[in-house]
Amino acid sequence: MKLSTKHLLSIGDLEPADILGLVARAAELKAGWPQGFRPRPLNDKTVALIFQKASTRTRVSFEVGTRQLGGTSLFMTDRDSQLGRSEPLKDTARVLSRYVDAMVVRTFGQEVLTELAAYASIPVINALSDRCHPCQVLSDLLTVREHQGRVEGLVYAWVGDGNNMAHSWLEAAGHLGLELRLACPEGFDPDPLVLAEAKARGGRILLTRDPREACDHADVVNTDVWASMGQEDEALARRAAFAGFTVDAGLLALAAKQAIVLHCLPAHRGEEITDEVMEGPQSVVWQQAENRLHMQKAIMEALIS
Ligand code: CP
Ligand code: NVA
């Protein structure tokens, strides 16, 4: 499949058919791999991974995914490239466009991605920014589909920070008309513009201060760290502000019987999620992590080849 966009900077860049098509293709690639279905659309292609923040899942799944599709990846950070010495993004974008076939970028401000995309002649893929984490939520939709048989017509609960992950869920909800209930403590709501846009596009969005209201009969219970990368200094204050927003057995008991628990990881057990829930039968976090690989492959196949 081909996407209706050249870059993947946010789920907002996609059409609903792109989202559902990627989920279907990732499922196909996942199911086919053990049977020997191994398309190599990245043969002779190189993907640059530019990471300005730490990563385990995203980095490894993009590296392994590139290799499984027949391509080569190279990993760059600020420490070992001229980016760390303030070479302008627009210069970096034009130089890398002459060597590689795509850039996968993990960074702080979304404007870094938009500037790279504006000057690059190759696709730019957002591997997480402060603003959003599109590849994660696309892959989470695959995990939901595997367990609930569909992604539409379900109740999604988000408990915790109105952060990058919450923003991507809002965008997915808007595009697919999902019911998404977010429980965030005061002062930690998602960006009101992202919320308004999701509603305007057809998402059934509820913002509440009560995690129980969000989780009531929910099919998917989703959470994330209280202090994201770059917010380490706020961790202590956030721990106080997020008291009562832990996904624990009591909260999960309010959700639908067949509800699944998602966490993009890494998790802080005892903060946003208890060890009991993480390790419990409704947690699908390991499968969720695996699915990153299958979704990265679907994304790269659609954008690069
Ligand atoms: N979920 C996720 O993006 O994990 P990493 O930070 O390890 O890439
Ligand atoms: N919200 C988290 C997600 C990590 C994958 C962060 O940005 O650190």
Side-chain angles (χ1 to χ4, degrees):
M1 70 174 290
K2 288 277 172 227
L3 297 184
S4 60
T5 168
K6 175 177 171 189
H7 306 288
L8 176 51
L9 305 188
S10 75
I11 287 186
D13 292 346
L14 301 172
E15 294 298 330
D18 294 324
I19 301 174
L20 297 175
L22 284 171
V23 171
R25 182 59 177 166
E28 222 167 74
L29 291 169
K30 179 177 182 178
W33 183 260
Q35 266 113 51
F37 174 56
R38 298 177 182 203
R40 295 172 72 82
L42 298 193
N43 199 20
D44 286 339
K45 299 206 188 278
T46 306
V47 178
L49 307 180
I50 304 170
F51 277 52
Q52 299 185 309
K53 287 177 177 173
S55 171
T56 296
R57 281 145 288 270
T58 310
R59 175 190 176 170
V60 175
S61 56
F62 267 110
E63 290 211 20
V64 173
T66 302
R67 190 162 311 176
Q68 290 188 357
L69 294 178
T72 307
S73 62
L74 56 92
F75 184 72
M76 298 166 61
T77 68
D78 281 355
R79 263 197 316 278
D80 45 40
S81 72
Q82 300 290 7
L83 276 169
R85 295 180 58 249
S86 306
E87 180 166 14
L89 292 167
K90 59 185 182 183
D91 297 1
T92 304
R94 285 172 290 184
V95 171
L96 289 182
S97 293
R98 288 164 183 261
Y99 298 137
V100 303
D101 299 284
M103 278 185 261
V104 173
V105 183
R106 172 166 285 198
T107 190
F108 293 86
Q110 186 73 9
E111 67 282 357
V112 171
L113 289 148
T114 43
E115 186 166 352
L116 286 171
Y119 286 92
S121 59
I122 55 174
V124 177
I125 299 172
N126 181 354
L128 179 146
S129 64
D130 292 344
R131 182 75 176 177
C132 54
H133 197 2
C135 297
Q136 177 75 52
V137 170
L138 288 167
S139 128
D140 292 351
L141 289 168
L142 169 62
T143 309
V144 169
R145 200 183 85 156
E146 288 174 336
H147 281 275
Q148 310 291 22
R150 61 197 195 283
V151 297
E152 288 151 309
L154 301 170
V155 177
Y156 292 78
W158 176 267
V159 180
D161 193 15
N163 63 12
N164 44 8
M165 281 292 299
H167 289 156
S168 286
W169 271 111
L170 277 164
E171 291 185 332
H175 280 45
L176 299 177
L178 307 178
E179 179 170 354
L180 173 62
R181 306 189 200 136
L182 305 112
C184 308
E186 202 175 342
F188 299 94
D189 290 347
D191 182 328
L193 291 176
V194 179
L195 200 122
E197 174 76 14
K199 278 188 183 167
R201 293 245 357 183
R204 295 167 59 201
I205 313 295
L206 173 83
L207 179 60
T208 171
R209 304 275 170 245
D210 182 0
R212 288 166 305 179
E213 189 184 4
C215 290
D216 182 36
H217 291 94
D219 300 295
V220 178
V221 175
N222 204 346
T223 189
D224 187 16
V225 289
W226 292 339
S228 285
M229 287 181 276
Q231 298 172 332
E232 288 79 6
D233 293 352
E234 300 170 29
L236 203 64
R238 282 173 172 259
R239 235 172 271 159
F242 283 80
F245 284 76
T246 302
V247 175
D248 58 17
L251 193 58
L252 187 55
L254 303 174
K257 234 178 152 163
Q258 307 301 326
I260 56 167
V261 176
L262 296 179
H263 191 311
C264 63
L265 306 179
H268 292 165
R269 288 171 168 84
E271 292 189 17
E272 75 276 3
I273 191 165
T274 60
D275 183 61
E276 184 187 10
V277 169
M278 256 300 272
E279 303 291 346
Q282 288 169 278
S283 160
V284 298
V285 299
W286 313 121
Q287 181 181 343
Q288 182 185 3
E290 176 189 332
N291 283 341
R292 298 295 309 280
L293 170 63
H294 309 298
M295 181 51 73
Q296 318 298 32
K297 287 166 70 179
I299 292 167
M300 289 192 288
E301 180 189 53
L303 279 180
I304 304 170
S305 53

